[in-house]
Amino acid sequence: MFADYAKILIKSGKGGDGHVSFRRELYVPDGGPDGGDGGRGGDVIFVVDKGLNTLTDFQHRRKYAARDGEPGGKRRCHGANGEDLIVKVPEGTVIKEAESGQVIADMSGDNLREVILKGGRGGQGNMHYATATMQAPKYAQPGKPGQELWVTLELKVIADVGLLGYPNVGKSTLLSRVTNARPKIANYHFTTIQPNLGVVDLGDGQGFVIADIPGLIDGAAEGVGLGHDFLRHIERTRILIHLVDAAGTEGRDPVEDVRAINRELANYNPELLKVPQVIAANKIDVIYGEEDPVARLREAFEPEGKKVFPISAVTGQGLKELLYYVNDQLKSLHAQPVIFEREYVPEAASPDLPYEVSRNEDGDFLVEGPLIEKMLGYTNLESEKGFLFFQKFLKERGILKELEDLGIEDGDTVRMYGLAFDYYKE
């Protein structure tokens, strides 16, 4: 069974408690405090394992916890740090906060390792609390608790080209003919129950990765059949090859098939309609009668920018023209795969991280504190999505309201740890 979705509970380790003890040695009757610090709790770290291609392992185990830090000891002994928990996932896994569905991390591209939850800080031993008036402190700091979070894992296949269409239009046959993939092929609906990936090799170093998305039916975006489970795999593709049964061997109209599946794409994610589409009119080797379905497809969709190629996946007719056209189109598109921007920072969601809003002598507004420092470290302000995410965070935390209460106006400067922004009210 192919698994591309899982919901799990992750928990970082608690920091070890600081120790209370006093130096007791011969000839030193009144030794001072010597309680050591507790160790740091273990982090929860996700790493990409390129040997994995499903989320099957997460179907049998739902809770993942890092080790707690050890408490401090006497004689200033520092407690051992808790062991980090390494969670291995396949490339293309998107980690989301379960309740909101917001993206925490996308394990794709160069992002091969991500600390999702940090362990709690170890508590300080009583040796840190001695003062001139309190020379024998009987207090040590407890370790900070770890973080706990329900997350969902979604595996979104990384491919240049997505191959989609109704069941039995010949997608698996086409994939097996043009790539090194060997999908199982049979004559019944939903033959393909997992996205099959293959590499199209056109020679001279040219080619692309193509993914066969399981057959869609009406209502796939609402979860009917297998459609909803696999629509997510189309989100990363740069071009879609829309395969239709031009011969109508199962009694369906190929023009209506294209329109119906595009409706499903729009219902699932309207952005998918912006992905360039090429229509492959398959089974031309079994077209009989005077009506020309390929001409109908061209009349309906080429004015919309969707080029139509008549092909036969069985005989190979027309495949060369289709594949070289798709390859040329890919060259003109941005080469970077779709990477989902971070939308949720577990540490920033903690209500106890402080921040401060103030104004300096130059009239600039300052926003500082551990909360802001962590958010800036997690957010890519160079991207539009990252900047909008940070702006949304400032609004939801009430920071923009505090700036307005201090009298900020359009064009004023806001400074945060070496960064300067011009303020403009939405």
Side-chain angles (χ1 to χ4, degrees), residues 234-295:
I234 303 175
E235 292 181 286
R236 291 198 196 272
T237 56
R238 296 156 57 207
I239 287 182
L240 294 173
I241 296 179
H242 200 141
L243 200 66
V244 293
D245 177 0
T249 57
E250 296 204 354
R252 290 196 312 270
D253 176 16
V255 172
E256 179 52 32
D257 278 4
V258 175
R259 298 206 187 283
I261 287 186
N262 278 330
R263 284 195 294 269
E264 292 304 315
L265 297 182
N267 289 338
Y268 178 75
N269 181 355
E271 290 294 311
L272 293 179
L273 293 183
K274 297 179 182 179
V275 179
Q277 283 190 27
V278 178
I279 296 173
N282 193 25
K283 304 188 182 183
I284 59 171
D285 54 310
V286 291
I287 292 177
Y288 303 102
E290 296 181 1
E291 185 183 12
D292 184 357
V294 175

Side-chain angles (χ1 to χ4, degrees), residues 32-172:
D34 69 352
D37 299 341
R40 175 188 57 81
D43 298 337
V44 177
I45 305 171
F46 280 69
V47 298
V48 169
D49 183 339
K50 300 208 173 181
L52 297 176
N53 55 20
T54 80
L55 299 174
T56 302
D57 292 346
F58 299 96
Q59 306 301 312
H60 310 294
R61 179 182 169 195
R62 296 301 175 94
K63 295 184 179 180
Y64 294 79
R67 296 292 183 89
D68 294 340
E70 297 290 330
K74 58 179 62 176
R75 298 183 180 177
R76 299 176 177 257
C77 287
H78 194 291
N81 291 333
E83 184 179 353
D84 294 335
L85 175 69
I86 304 297
V87 182
K88 295 181 179 180
V89 294
E91 185 176 13
T93 300
V94 179
I95 306 163
K96 296 182 177 181
E97 196 273 324
E99 185 175 347
S100 66
Q102 293 180 317
V103 175
I104 299 173
D106 184 351
M107 308 303 292
S108 306
D110 296 329
N111 192 30
L112 304 179
R113 185 181 186 276
E114 186 82 34
V115 178
I116 301 299
L117 294 182
K118 288 187 175 293
R121 194 172 63 246
Q124 293 184 324
N126 69 332
M127 64 179 180
H128 294 279
Y129 297 99
T131 65
T133 56
M134 175 66 73
Q135 297 185 8
K138 296 181 180 179
Y139 168 80
Q141 187 182 38
K144 293 287 185 182
Q147 296 175 279
E148 185 174 297
L149 189 67
W150 279 99
V151 298
T152 59
L153 309 179
E154 293 184 7
L155 177 56
K156 297 176 187 280
V157 167
I158 298 176
D160 300 305
V161 178
L163 188 60
L164 74 160
Y166 270 79
N168 288 349
V169 295
K171 298 197 312 304
S172 295

